Amino acid sequence: MKALFRGSVIKGMRLVGVYEDEDQAVIEEYLDRVDGPVTDNAEKQFHQFVDLIPSSQSTQYGDIPPQSRVVLVSGSLTRGIIARGPFPARSIALGYAVNLSFGQTANYYVVDLDPEFVPLRDKLYSLVEKTVAVA
């Protein structure tokens, strides 16, 4: 699974959604079309997929509805970004973050789906569903 982050130079990157690996190409093609014409870096939207490392209890969570997925993120621009998840709830992710951070120098932060991206998230999930239906 992959977490999709989107944002601008000014606003920073925020979590759009969590998608299956095979959905990345369709989503990137759509976002490249939507984001392509803007040349002003202050207004331009960027996107990045980050591979998710599943939690050790991921089988216990079952299928997590797309609208309630939460991820943990750690890292920096110099060390790189590490993302874990998805988790079914913020409280579960927070408990896992405490366990991961205990005795370590890295801190993990819970990242929720950004409400600003609800329309985009709905559009991307509909694109992915159409691709699955065609295949």
Side-chain angles (χ1 to χ4, degrees), residues 32-103:
D32 287 344
R33 271 196 326 258
V34 171
D35 296 339
V38 179
T39 55
D40 178 15
N41 276 343
E43 297 297 320
K44 183 159 178 65
Q45 294 287 309
F46 298 93
H47 62 273
Q48 179 179 359
F49 280 93
V50 177
D51 289 326
L52 288 175
I53 301 167
S55 78
S56 57
Q57 287 88 24
S58 62
T59 56
Q60 295 175 1
Y61 305 145
D63 267 347
I64 303 169
Q67 64 276 13
S68 64
R69 293 175 178 165
V70 178
V71 298
L72 293 175
V73 177
S74 180
S76 67
L77 293 174
T78 55
R79 291 186 303 133
I81 303 295
I82 297 170
R84 295 184 181 265
F87 297 92
R90 189 177 222 315
S91 59
I92 293 171
L94 190 55
Y96 199 76
V98 170
N99 290 338
L100 287 171
S101 299
F102 186 74

Side-chain angles (χ1 to χ4, degrees), residues 16 19 30 114-126:
V16 174
Y19 301 91
Y30 173 78
D114 196 298
E116 177 184 330
F117 293 126
V118 168
L120 175 62
R121 192 168 26 257
D122 291 345
K123 174 67 176 172
L124 295 179
Y125 283 123
S126 71

